Amino acid sequence: MRMILTGSPRRLLALASSAALTLAACGGDDTGSASSDAPVVATTSIWADVTSNVGCGAEVPALIPAGADPHSFEPSLQDRELVDGATTVIANGLDLEEPILPLLDVAADNGTNVIELAIDVDVLMPTDEHDHDDEDHDDEDHDEEEGQVDDDHGHAHGDGGDPHFWQDPRRVSGTLDTIATALAANSIDTCVDEYRAELESLDAEIESMLAPIPDDARVLVTSHESLAYFADRYGFEIVGTVIPSMSTMAETNAADLAELSDEIERHGVEVIFTEEMSSAADAEALADRLGVAVVPLVTDSLTDDPDTDTYVEMMRHNAGLIAEQLVP
Ligand SMILES: [Zn+2]
């Protein structure tokens, strides 16, 4: 998956050191097998991997398999069985897993411990940058729609927080104790200190990969609003998104795309970062028109590719692609 190896020596060095770390990294790969009596399951492949690592490689199946979009995934009968057999479900929260919330609600009613990791996180609220002077996005309507009171099960439904907090390894680190407590309650050994150290070195590695990017190039255009936490942690500004929403299920429209074109030209943006698992047709058409590149990242779900089949690999992969594009 790594592309162009011509480039600055610095870039080659970054790739080489990233490859070395890739070899050294260990990770649980017991995610995604859907038939098991695992006591702890996770909603997404990313949280299944993190939870497995905290559990010293314990088997933690993902309800939403690698490669599937959590915003739109429809659970199968097999997923229901997986949840029925579990005592604990590790979930993201903040409406990320919207289509499987009914399933989680039933599980919680039946006594399953459904843990939303968002409770441990300093949550970012979306900017309304994309909504200004757009009659379709009247702020008051918006708040009313999305600001519903918590439901019976106390999900933080629609408090409007951005769910993509795994894009910041420090925030992920902040969830590890909760995960470890849940695993220990199921008599599963934990390796929380080891995994926290791995996340700390990942964080430092990403920081140094991105360090050569000059301030005026620290702008990102993405497909949906998936990288706000990454931008917050590593000092980038998201100047626009093709789908002006925190969900991939939202629609884009001509007015938003026209506004995005202006932003891209104003900031001299040369690349749109899309996502491998959702349609990039609008982004590709726009990039074509503006003569900018399209580079797919892996954001909301792991894949079966060895470059992106663990959380640590996925983060390193994305940072590498961003550095490749933005380091002069
Ligand atoms: Zn997303």
Side-chain angles (χ1 to χ4, degrees), residues 3-320:
M3 311 184 180
I4 324 135
L5 279 172
T6 54
S8 67
R10 192 165 39 199
R11 194 176 296 164
L12 288 172
L13 197 65
L15 283 173
S17 79
S18 127
L21 277 159
T22 302
L23 291 173
C26 64
D29 48 11
D30 294 329
T31 54
S33 79
S35 57
S36 77
D37 324 309
V40 179
V41 302
T43 54
T44 69
S45 51
I46 291 167
W47 289 119
D49 174 62
V50 171
T51 303
S52 172
N53 276 283
V54 174
C56 312
E59 187 197 358
V60 179
L63 296 174
I64 303 166
D69 178 356
H71 298 290
S72 62
F73 178 78
E74 294 296 338
S76 65
L77 186 61
Q78 209 173 25
D79 294 312
R80 285 168 208 284
E81 285 168 359
L82 208 52
V83 171
D84 285 346
T87 58
T88 303
V89 177
I90 302 290
N92 186 85
L94 298 171
D95 285 354
L96 174 75
E97 308 99 332
E98 205 167 355
I100 64 166
L101 287 178
L103 176 62
L104 298 184
D105 284 348
V106 171
D109 279 344
N110 292 335
T112 305
N113 187 16
V114 178
I115 298 170
E116 296 189 337
L117 296 173
I119 53 166
D120 285 335
V121 171
D122 175 19
V123 171
L124 295 176
M125 303 306 280
T127 59
D128 58 1
E129 206 176 314
H130 317 296
D131 297 346
H132 64 143
D133 59 64
D134 183 336
E135 70 279 10
D136 291 340
H137 292 289
D138 181 73
D139 273 2
E140 275 173 44
D141 284 0
H142 219 64
D143 288 347
E144 228 169 309
E145 246 168 55
E146 296 195 344
Q148 302 159 11
V149 184
D150 291 357
D151 73 7
D152 295 347
H153 301 289
H155 300 299
H157 271 312
D159 64 358
D162 183 340
H164 302 86
F165 54 84
W166 62 87
Q167 292 294 340
D168 171 5
R170 291 187 174 181
R171 282 177 166 90
V172 171
S173 199
T175 68
L176 300 187
D177 288 335
T178 295
I179 294 172
T181 303
L183 290 166
N186 286 281
S187 306
I188 296 170
D189 289 342
T190 60
C191 295
V192 67
D193 292 341
E194 291 88 331
Y195 192 57
R196 180 168 284 124
E198 198 178 334
L199 295 188
E200 279 167 9
S201 73
L202 169 74
D203 182 52
E205 183 193 350
I206 292 175
E207 200 166 35
S208 69
M209 285 165 102
L210 302 174
I213 301 173
D215 285 352
D216 64 359
R218 289 181 167 268
V219 290
L220 298 173
V221 173
T222 60
S223 185
H224 77 297
E225 294 172 8
S226 57
L227 291 189
Y229 291 92
F230 185 93
D232 179 61
R233 168 64 194 97
Y234 299 111
F236 289 81
E237 187 193 349
I238 311 279
V239 296
T241 60
V242 179
I243 303 168
S245 168
M246 294 184 298
S247 170
T248 54
M249 296 302 278
E251 301 269 327
T252 187
N253 65 56
D256 288 330
L257 282 179
E259 198 183 324
L260 179 59
S261 301
D262 292 347
E263 290 293 322
I264 287 173
E265 288 184 336
R266 188 178 317 147
H267 292 273
V269 169
E270 288 172 1
V271 56
I272 299 175
F273 292 102
T274 57
E275 288 127 28
E276 285 192 0
M277 58 173 201
S278 60
S279 163
D282 285 326
E284 276 158 10
L286 181 68
D288 228 36
R289 196 151 52 74
L290 297 175
V292 302
V294 172
V295 173
L297 303 178
V298 177
T299 59
D300 284 14
S301 181
L302 302 180
T303 76
D304 294 330
D305 189 308
D307 268 0
T308 50
D309 67 351
T310 69
Y311 169 69
V312 167
E313 290 298 334
M314 177 194 79
M315 293 299 292
R316 183 182 287 132
H317 171 82
N318 290 340

